[in-house]
Amino acid sequence: MLRRVFDIFRVRKEERWPALAWLLMIVATNALVVARHWAEFSQVVDNYRSLVIKQFHLSGFDPLTYALVTDWSPAYNIYRHPLLAFFMYVPYAINQGLIALTGTNCATIVVAAFVAFSAFYALVFLFRMFREVIGLDYFDSCALVFLTYSFGYVMVASCAPDHFVLSMMLLILTVYVSGRKMKKGKPYTIWQTVLFFFLTAGISLNNGIKVFLANMLTNVRKFFRPANLIFAIILPAALLWLVARVEWRHYEYPRFHARQVAKVKKAKAEKEAVYRMVRDTIQDTSSFAIDQAVKREMQERAWEKFQRRQKLPSVAHAGKPMGKGEFSQWTDMTTDRWASLVENVFGESIQLHTNHLLGDTLIGRPVFVKYSYWANYAVRKRIIEMGFVQGQEVEAVVVALFLLGVWFGRRARFLWLCLSFFLFDMLIHFVLGFGLNEIYIMSPHFLFVIPVAIAYLLLQAKGSRWHRPLSWLCALLAAGLTIYNGSLLVQYLVTP
C-alpha cells in the first residue's frame, strides 16, 4: 500500500516534457520571490513575524508561513485552518536544522520548495485527469494544463508563500482519484475519504465539504450506507471540530484573553486621564458636571476613532458582515456580487490588471479594478501584434468555452463532481460573502474546473472539423495569458 501511495508521485514518461516546461516557470518565479526579500527575511531575529508582515506584499497573500517555519506556533486562524500549522511542522524542523548549520534563516527557501512541489504535482495530477479520466489526446491535455497555469492567480499562487496552491493540489488529487474510481466502478472507501478529509479540511475547513461531495457523487447510493455516513462523514467531521475547539482553547484563548484584559486596562487608563483633564479644566467642579463632561469627551473620542477606522482600507473594503459573532463576522452583505463575478472571478483571477498590479485590498487596492486598454497597451502591445485578443475579450472567450463545455458535458458525472466544487465555492463566496472582497486570491480552489469543463467541449468536437480550431484556440489563449500574466508577475517581483 505504501508503495502505491508513493507511486502516484512518480512522473511518467509522457508527463515529463509538459511538467518540465512549466516547472521552469514555477522555479523561476519562486526564485524571484526568495530573492526579492532575501536580505530582510534571511535574518535570525526575535520579531520575525512582525518583520515579514510589514515587509511582504504580494496581492493579499499571507506571509505567516514564513513566520511559522521560523518560530512555530498555530499562527493561522484555527477554525479556518485547523491543522495547517501542524502540517508545517516538518518544514519548520528543516528550517531549524538549516539555521543551526548556516546561521541564516532559510524560511523563504524552505517555503518556496514546498510551494513549488505543490504547484508541480497539481499540474501532474491535472494532466492525468485529462488523459486518464476524461480521455483527451496528448495535445489537448497539454493545452488545457497550460491554460490552467496561465490563469493569473494560479500563476501567482504557485509562488506565493501561502496555502492556496497546496489546497489546489489536494483538491485536484481528490477529483482525480474520484474520476478513476468512477471509470472503474469502484467506491470511494472510508479510509480514503477520511484521509482526504483531514488533509483538505485541515488546510482549509470548507474544502472538507468537497471531499464529502466526492464521496457522494462517486459512491452514489452507497454514500447513504450507515457505515459510510458514520465512519467517513459524521465521525471525521466531529473529530476535526473537536480538535479545532481544543486547539483554540489551548493555543488561542490565552492570547485572546490577554488582548481583552489589555483592552480593558487601556480603556480604563484613558478614562482616568480624561477625568483628570476635565477636573483640572472645568469650571463647575461638581461630580455630576465632571461625569457629564467626561462622558461627552469619551463619546467624541470614540466617534473620532470610529471615523478614522472606517477610512482604513482593511475596513472600508471589507463589506458589512451579517453579524459580529464568531463566524458571522466573516460574512459580507454589501459587496457588489455582479461586479465581483465580472471583475474578480472571471477578471482578475484569469487576467491580472496593470492598474494596482497585485495590490492588496487591505492596504490600498480598490475592491474592483477595471481594465484600461490604454494603460494596458504598453504591456499588451507584443501580444496584440501576435494576434491575441485583449482586455475582457479574453475573459469572454474563456467563459464562453466554459459554458459550452458545461453544456456538452452535462451528462458526465465526473464533470458534475468538479462543478459541485465550483458551485460550493460560489455558495460560500456569493451567498455568505466569505472573502468576497478578494475572491481572486481564493480562485486556485476552483479555477481548474474551467479547463475541465472545456475538456468536454474538446471531447465532443473530436472527429469533427471544429476539433483542431478549438484545440489551437485553447493553446493560443494559454500562450497569450502566459506571456501577459507572466510578464506582469515578473515585472512586479523584480521592481523594488
PDB file of all heavy atoms in Angstrom, residues 318-344:
ATOM      1  N   ALA A 318     -14.046  45.868   3.332  1.00  0.00           N
ATOM      2  CA  ALA A 318     -14.435  44.561   3.866  1.00  0.00           C
ATOM      3  C   ALA A 318     -15.901  44.221   3.635  1.00  0.00           C
ATOM      4  O   ALA A 318     -16.266  43.062   3.612  1.00  0.00           O
ATOM      5  CB  ALA A 318     -14.120  44.500   5.357  1.00  0.00           C
ATOM      6  N   GLY A 319     -16.756  45.209   3.445  1.00  0.00           N
ATOM      7  CA  GLY A 319     -18.183  44.932   3.342  1.00  0.00           C
ATOM      8  C   GLY A 319     -18.795  44.740   4.727  1.00  0.00           C
ATOM      9  O   GLY A 319     -18.105  44.420   5.695  1.00  0.00           O
ATOM     10  N   LYS A 320     -20.098  44.926   4.811  1.00  0.00           N
ATOM     11  CA  LYS A 320     -20.792  44.815   6.097  1.00  0.00           C
ATOM     12  C   LYS A 320     -21.122  43.364   6.384  1.00  0.00           C
ATOM     13  O   LYS A 320     -21.784  42.699   5.599  1.00  0.00           O
ATOM     14  CB  LYS A 320     -22.079  45.644   6.064  1.00  0.00           C
ATOM     15  CG  LYS A 320     -22.809  45.679   7.408  1.00  0.00           C
ATOM     16  CD  LYS A 320     -24.055  46.541   7.322  1.00  0.00           C
ATOM     17  CE  LYS A 320     -24.787  46.547   8.663  1.00  0.00           C
ATOM     18  NZ  LYS A 320     -26.033  47.366   8.599  1.00  0.00           N
ATOM     19  N   PRO A 321     -20.665  42.826   7.535  1.00  0.00           N
ATOM     20  CA  PRO A 321     -20.956  41.418   7.858  1.00  0.00           C
ATOM     21  C   PRO A 321     -22.402  41.237   8.306  1.00  0.00           C
ATOM     22  O   PRO A 321     -23.090  42.199   8.668  1.00  0.00           O
ATOM     23  CB  PRO A 321     -19.975  41.107   8.986  1.00  0.00           C
ATOM     24  CG  PRO A 321     -19.741  42.423   9.647  1.00  0.00           C
ATOM     25  CD  PRO A 321     -19.817  43.453   8.548  1.00  0.00           C
ATOM     26  N   MET A 322     -22.869  39.983   8.302  1.00  0.00           N
ATOM     27  CA  MET A 322     -24.227  39.667   8.748  1.00  0.00           C
ATOM     28  C   MET A 322     -24.364  39.810  10.262  1.00  0.00           C
ATOM     29  O   MET A 322     -25.459  39.941  10.787  1.00  0.00           O
ATOM     30  CB  MET A 322     -24.611  38.250   8.331  1.00  0.00           C
ATOM     31  CG  MET A 322     -24.676  38.052   6.831  1.00  0.00           C
ATOM     32  SD  MET A 322     -25.061  36.335   6.403  1.00  0.00           S
ATOM     33  CE  MET A 322     -24.992  36.435   4.600  1.00  0.00           C
ATOM     34  N   GLY A 323     -23.244  39.737  10.968  1.00  0.00           N
ATOM     35  CA  GLY A 323     -23.271  39.855  12.421  1.00  0.00           C
ATOM     36  C   GLY A 323     -21.866  39.994  12.962  1.00  0.00           C
ATOM     37  O   GLY A 323     -20.892  40.030  12.210  1.00  0.00           O
ATOM     38  N   LYS A 324     -21.733  40.058  14.268  1.00  0.00           N
ATOM     39  CA  LYS A 324     -20.431  40.205  14.914  1.00  0.00           C
ATOM     40  C   LYS A 324     -20.031  38.950  15.676  1.00  0.00           C
ATOM     41  O   LYS A 324     -19.150  38.984  16.526  1.00  0.00           O
ATOM     42  CB  LYS A 324     -20.450  41.408  15.862  1.00  0.00           C
ATOM     43  CG  LYS A 324     -20.670  42.733  15.142  1.00  0.00           C
ATOM     44  CD  LYS A 324     -20.650  43.897  16.115  1.00  0.00           C
ATOM     45  CE  LYS A 324     -20.858  45.226  15.394  1.00  0.00           C
ATOM     46  NZ  LYS A 324     -20.853  46.376  16.328  1.00  0.00           N
ATOM     47  N   GLY A 325     -20.698  37.829  15.361  1.00  0.00           N
ATOM     48  CA  GLY A 325     -20.408  36.580  16.047  1.00  0.00           C
ATOM     49  C   GLY A 325     -19.095  35.973  15.610  1.00  0.00           C
ATOM     50  O   GLY A 325     -18.390  36.486  14.733  1.00  0.00           O
ATOM     51  N   GLU A 326     -18.798  34.817  16.196  1.00  0.00           N
ATOM     52  CA  GLU A 326     -17.521  34.149  15.967  1.00  0.00           C
ATOM     53  C   GLU A 326     -17.315  33.817  14.494  1.00  0.00           C
ATOM     54  O   GLU A 326     -16.211  33.882  13.973  1.00  0.00           O
ATOM     55  CB  GLU A 326     -17.472  32.871  16.816  1.00  0.00           C
ATOM     56  CG  GLU A 326     -16.100  32.261  16.932  1.00  0.00           C
ATOM     57  CD  GLU A 326     -16.071  31.143  17.949  1.00  0.00           C
ATOM     58  OE1 GLU A 326     -17.152  30.633  18.324  1.00  0.00           O
ATOM     59  OE2 GLU A 326     -14.965  30.772  18.375  1.00  0.00           O
ATOM     60  N   PHE A 327     -18.416  33.451  13.799  1.00  0.00           N
ATOM     61  CA  PHE A 327     -18.323  33.071  12.393  1.00  0.00           C
ATOM     62  C   PHE A 327     -19.043  34.056  11.468  1.00  0.00           C
ATOM     63  O   PHE A 327     -18.639  34.237  10.328  1.00  0.00           O
ATOM     64  CB  PHE A 327     -18.896  31.659  12.191  1.00  0.00           C
ATOM     65  CG  PHE A 327     -18.181  30.620  13.005  1.00  0.00           C
ATOM     66  CD1 PHE A 327     -18.749  30.107  14.160  1.00  0.00           C
ATOM     67  CD2 PHE A 327     -16.921  30.186  12.638  1.00  0.00           C
ATOM     68  CE1 PHE A 327     -18.078  29.160  14.918  1.00  0.00           C
ATOM     69  CE2 PHE A 327     -16.234  29.241  13.389  1.00  0.00           C
ATOM     70  CZ  PHE A 327     -16.814  28.724  14.539  1.00  0.00           C
ATOM     71  N   SER A 328     -20.106  34.695  11.956  1.00  0.00           N
ATOM     72  CA  SER A 328     -20.858  35.630  11.117  1.00  0.00           C
ATOM     73  C   SER A 328     -20.040  36.865  10.750  1.00  0.00           C
ATOM     74  O   SER A 328     -20.337  37.545   9.767  1.00  0.00           O
ATOM     75  CB  SER A 328     -22.155  36.055  11.814  1.00  0.00           C
ATOM     76  OG  SER A 328     -21.888  36.688  13.054  1.00  0.00           O
ATOM     77  N   GLN A 329     -18.969  37.157  11.526  1.00  0.00           N
ATOM     78  CA  GLN A 329     -18.119  38.304  11.211  1.00  0.00           C
ATOM     79  C   GLN A 329     -17.338  38.097   9.913  1.00  0.00           C
ATOM     80  O   GLN A 329     -16.811  39.046   9.348  1.00  0.00           O
ATOM     81  CB  GLN A 329     -17.143  38.559  12.364  1.00  0.00           C
ATOM     82  CG  GLN A 329     -16.174  37.421  12.616  1.00  0.00           C
ATOM     83  CD  GLN A 329     -15.216  37.707  13.751  1.00  0.00           C
ATOM     84  OE1 GLN A 329     -14.813  38.843  13.938  1.00  0.00           O
ATOM     85  NE2 GLN A 329     -14.850  36.681  14.500  1.00  0.00           N
ATOM     86  N   TRP A 330     -17.248  36.858   9.425  1.00  0.00           N
ATOM     87  CA  TRP A 330     -16.536  36.574   8.173  1.00  0.00           C
ATOM     88  C   TRP A 330     -17.418  36.789   6.952  1.00  0.00           C
ATOM     89  O   TRP A 330     -16.947  36.667   5.829  1.00  0.00           O
ATOM     90  CB  TRP A 330     -16.033  35.134   8.175  1.00  0.00           C
ATOM     91  CG  TRP A 330     -15.065  34.824   9.268  1.00  0.00           C
ATOM     92  CD1 TRP A 330     -14.338  35.710  10.014  1.00  0.00           C
ATOM     93  CD2 TRP A 330     -14.705  33.527   9.758  1.00  0.00           C
ATOM     94  NE1 TRP A 330     -13.551  35.058  10.934  1.00  0.00           N
ATOM     95  CE2 TRP A 330     -13.752  33.712  10.799  1.00  0.00           C
ATOM     96  CE3 TRP A 330     -15.078  32.233   9.413  1.00  0.00           C
ATOM     97  CZ2 TRP A 330     -13.197  32.638  11.489  1.00  0.00           C
ATOM     98  CZ3 TRP A 330     -14.519  31.171  10.111  1.00  0.00           C
ATOM     99  CH2 TRP A 330     -13.592  31.370  11.127  1.00  0.00           C
ATOM    100  N   THR A 331     -18.696  37.066   7.140  1.00  0.00           N
ATOM    101  CA  THR A 331     -19.632  37.214   6.020  1.00  0.00           C
ATOM    102  C   THR A 331     -19.593  38.635   5.466  1.00  0.00           C
ATOM    103  O   THR A 331     -18.954  39.523   6.037  1.00  0.00           O
ATOM    104  CB  THR A 331     -21.056  36.854   6.457  1.00  0.00           C
ATOM    105  OG1 THR A 331     -21.444  37.720   7.542  1.00  0.00           O
ATOM    106  CG2 THR A 331     -21.129  35.404   6.937  1.00  0.00           C
ATOM    107  N   ASP A 332     -20.320  38.838   4.373  1.00  0.00           N
ATOM    108  CA  ASP A 332     -20.305  40.138   3.693  1.00  0.00           C
ATOM    109  C   ASP A 332     -21.632  40.305   2.969  1.00  0.00           C
ATOM    110  O   ASP A 332     -21.960  39.539   2.057  1.00  0.00           O
ATOM    111  CB  ASP A 332     -19.135  40.187   2.705  1.00  0.00           C
ATOM    112  CG  ASP A 332     -19.017  41.522   1.981  1.00  0.00           C
ATOM    113  OD1 ASP A 332     -19.975  42.306   2.007  1.00  0.00           O
ATOM    114  OD2 ASP A 332     -17.967  41.771   1.376  1.00  0.00           O
ATOM    115  N   MET A 333     -22.413  41.306   3.383  1.00  0.00           N
ATOM    116  CA  MET A 333     -23.732  41.523   2.768  1.00  0.00           C
ATOM    117  C   MET A 333     -23.714  42.594   1.685  1.00  0.00           C
ATOM    118  O   MET A 333     -24.644  42.667   0.886  1.00  0.00           O
ATOM    119  CB  MET A 333     -24.748  41.949   3.843  1.00  0.00           C
ATOM    120  CG  MET A 333     -25.041  40.894   4.891  1.00  0.00           C
ATOM    121  SD  MET A 333     -26.454  41.391   5.922  1.00  0.00           S
ATOM    122  CE  MET A 333     -25.879  42.970   6.579  1.00  0.00           C
ATOM    123  N   THR A 334     -22.704  43.446   1.654  1.00  0.00           N
ATOM    124  CA  THR A 334     -22.793  44.669   0.852  1.00  0.00           C
ATOM    125  C   THR A 334     -21.933  44.699  -0.412  1.00  0.00           C
ATOM    126  O   THR A 334     -22.213  45.471  -1.318  1.00  0.00           O
ATOM    127  CB  THR A 334     -22.428  45.886   1.723  1.00  0.00           C
ATOM    128  OG1 THR A 334     -21.129  45.672   2.301  1.00  0.00           O
ATOM    129  CG2 THR A 334     -23.434  46.064   2.841  1.00  0.00           C
ATOM    130  N   THR A 335     -20.871  43.900  -0.487  1.00  0.00           N
ATOM    131  CA  THR A 335     -20.020  43.936  -1.681  1.00  0.00           C
ATOM    132  C   THR A 335     -20.822  43.491  -2.906  1.00  0.00           C
ATOM    133  O   THR A 335     -21.531  42.491  -2.859  1.00  0.00           O
ATOM    134  CB  THR A 335     -18.788  43.029  -1.495  1.00  0.00           C
ATOM    135  OG1 THR A 335     -18.022  43.515  -0.387  1.00  0.00           O
ATOM    136  CG2 THR A 335     -17.917  43.037  -2.737  1.00  0.00           C
ATOM    137  N   ASP A 336     -20.696  44.249  -3.980  1.00  0.00           N
ATOM    138  CA  ASP A 336     -21.466  44.013  -5.207  1.00  0.00           C
ATOM    139  C   ASP A 336     -21.157  42.635  -5.790  1.00  0.00           C
ATOM    140  O   ASP A 336     -20.028  42.347  -6.178  1.00  0.00           O
ATOM    141  CB  ASP A 336     -21.123  45.115  -6.224  1.00  0.00           C
ATOM    142  CG  ASP A 336     -22.051  45.102  -7.426  1.00  0.00           C
ATOM    143  OD1 ASP A 336     -22.259  44.022  -8.000  1.00  0.00           O
ATOM    144  OD2 ASP A 336     -22.552  46.182  -7.795  1.00  0.00           O
ATOM    145  N   ARG A 337     -22.183  41.783  -5.869  1.00  0.00           N
ATOM    146  CA  ARG A 337     -21.992  40.415  -6.358  1.00  0.00           C
ATOM    147  C   ARG A 337     -21.688  40.367  -7.853  1.00  0.00           C
ATOM    148  O   ARG A 337     -20.811  39.623  -8.289  1.00  0.00           O
ATOM    149  CB  ARG A 337     -23.233  39.567  -6.063  1.00  0.00           C
ATOM    150  CG  ARG A 337     -23.221  38.775  -4.770  1.00  0.00           C
ATOM    151  CD  ARG A 337     -22.949  39.598  -3.537  1.00  0.00           C
ATOM    152  NE  ARG A 337     -23.064  38.765  -2.325  1.00  0.00           N
ATOM    153  CZ  ARG A 337     -22.769  39.168  -1.118  1.00  0.00           C
ATOM    154  NH1 ARG A 337     -22.313  40.410  -0.909  1.00  0.00           N
ATOM    155  NH2 ARG A 337     -22.869  38.358  -0.079  1.00  0.00           N
ATOM    156  N   TRP A 338     -22.430  41.120  -8.641  1.00  0.00           N
ATOM    157  CA  TRP A 338     -22.225  41.070 -10.090  1.00  0.00           C
ATOM    158  C   TRP A 338     -20.839  41.590 -10.464  1.00  0.00           C
ATOM    159  O   TRP A 338     -20.143  40.986 -11.277  1.00  0.00           O
ATOM    160  CB  TRP A 338     -23.309  41.866 -10.810  1.00  0.00           C
ATOM    161  CG  TRP A 338     -23.115  41.912 -12.298  1.00  0.00           C
ATOM    162  CD1 TRP A 338     -22.728  42.980 -13.044  1.00  0.00           C
ATOM    163  CD2 TRP A 338     -23.253  40.812 -13.206  1.00  0.00           C
ATOM    164  NE1 TRP A 338     -22.629  42.630 -14.372  1.00  0.00           N
ATOM    165  CE2 TRP A 338     -22.948  41.310 -14.510  1.00  0.00           C
ATOM    166  CE3 TRP A 338     -23.618  39.479 -13.057  1.00  0.00           C
ATOM    167  CZ2 TRP A 338     -22.999  40.505 -15.637  1.00  0.00           C
ATOM    168  CZ3 TRP A 338     -23.665  38.668 -14.194  1.00  0.00           C
ATOM    169  CH2 TRP A 338     -23.356  39.182 -15.462  1.00  0.00           C
ATOM    170  N   ALA A 339     -20.439  42.698  -9.857  1.00  0.00           N
ATOM    171  CA  ALA A 339     -19.107  43.244 -10.136  1.00  0.00           C
ATOM    172  C   ALA A 339     -18.026  42.255  -9.704  1.00  0.00           C
ATOM    173  O   ALA A 339     -17.002  42.116 -10.373  1.00  0.00           O
ATOM    174  CB  ALA A 339     -18.923  44.586  -9.423  1.00  0.00           C
ATOM    175  N   SER A 340     -18.256  41.559  -8.588  1.00  0.00           N
ATOM    176  CA  SER A 340     -17.293  40.557  -8.124  1.00  0.00           C
ATOM    177  C   SER A 340     -17.148  39.430  -9.138  1.00  0.00           C
ATOM    178  O   SER A 340     -16.042  38.962  -9.407  1.00  0.00           O
ATOM    179  CB  SER A 340     -17.733  39.980  -6.776  1.00  0.00           C
ATOM    180  OG  SER A 340     -17.709  40.963  -5.773  1.00  0.00           O
ATOM    181  N   LEU A 341     -18.272  38.995  -9.704  1.00  0.00           N
ATOM    182  CA  LEU A 341     -18.241  37.911 -10.690  1.00  0.00           C
ATOM    183  C   LEU A 341     -17.508  38.344 -11.948  1.00  0.00           C
ATOM    184  O   LEU A 341     -16.639  37.616 -12.462  1.00  0.00           O
ATOM    185  CB  LEU A 341     -19.668  37.483 -11.033  1.00  0.00           C
ATOM    186  CG  LEU A 341     -19.802  36.273 -11.952  1.00  0.00           C
ATOM    187  CD1 LEU A 341     -19.332  35.008 -11.248  1.00  0.00           C
ATOM    188  CD2 LEU A 341     -21.251  36.110 -12.420  1.00  0.00           C
ATOM    189  N   VAL A 342     -17.821  39.538 -12.439  1.00  0.00           N
ATOM    190  CA  VAL A 342     -17.245  40.013 -13.703  1.00  0.00           C
ATOM    191  C   VAL A 342     -15.791  40.436 -13.536  1.00  0.00           C
ATOM    192  O   VAL A 342     -14.913  40.008 -14.296  1.00  0.00           O
ATOM    193  CB  VAL A 342     -18.085  41.189 -14.259  1.00  0.00           C
ATOM    194  CG1 VAL A 342     -17.402  41.800 -15.483  1.00  0.00           C
ATOM    195  CG2 VAL A 342     -19.493  40.711 -14.619  1.00  0.00           C
ATOM    196  N   GLU A 343     -15.529  41.288 -12.544  1.00  0.00           N
ATOM    197  CA  GLU A 343     -14.200  41.892 -12.424  1.00  0.00           C
ATOM    198  C   GLU A 343     -13.184  41.013 -11.696  1.00  0.00           C
ATOM    199  O   GLU A 343     -11.986  41.128 -11.959  1.00  0.00           O
ATOM    200  CB  GLU A 343     -14.304  43.245 -11.691  1.00  0.00           C
ATOM    201  CG  GLU A 343     -15.214  44.256 -12.365  1.00  0.00           C
ATOM    202  CD  GLU A 343     -14.696  44.709 -13.724  1.00  0.00           C
ATOM    203  OE1 GLU A 343     -13.512  44.467 -14.027  1.00  0.00           O
ATOM    204  OE2 GLU A 343     -15.491  45.286 -14.478  1.00  0.00           O
ATOM    205  N   ASN A 344     -13.664  40.153 -10.780  1.00  0.00           N
ATOM    206  CA  ASN A 344     -12.717  39.404  -9.958  1.00  0.00           C
ATOM    207  C   ASN A 344     -12.697  37.903 -10.243  1.00  0.00           C
ATOM    208  O   ASN A 344     -11.630  37.331 -10.426  1.00  0.00           O
ATOM    209  CB  ASN A 344     -13.001  39.670  -8.473  1.00  0.00           C
ATOM    210  CG  ASN A 344     -12.619  41.078  -8.067  1.00  0.00           C
ATOM    211  OD1 ASN A 344     -11.815  41.733  -8.730  1.00  0.00           O
ATOM    212  ND2 ASN A 344     -13.173  41.567  -6.979  1.00  0.00           N
TER     213      ASN A 344
END
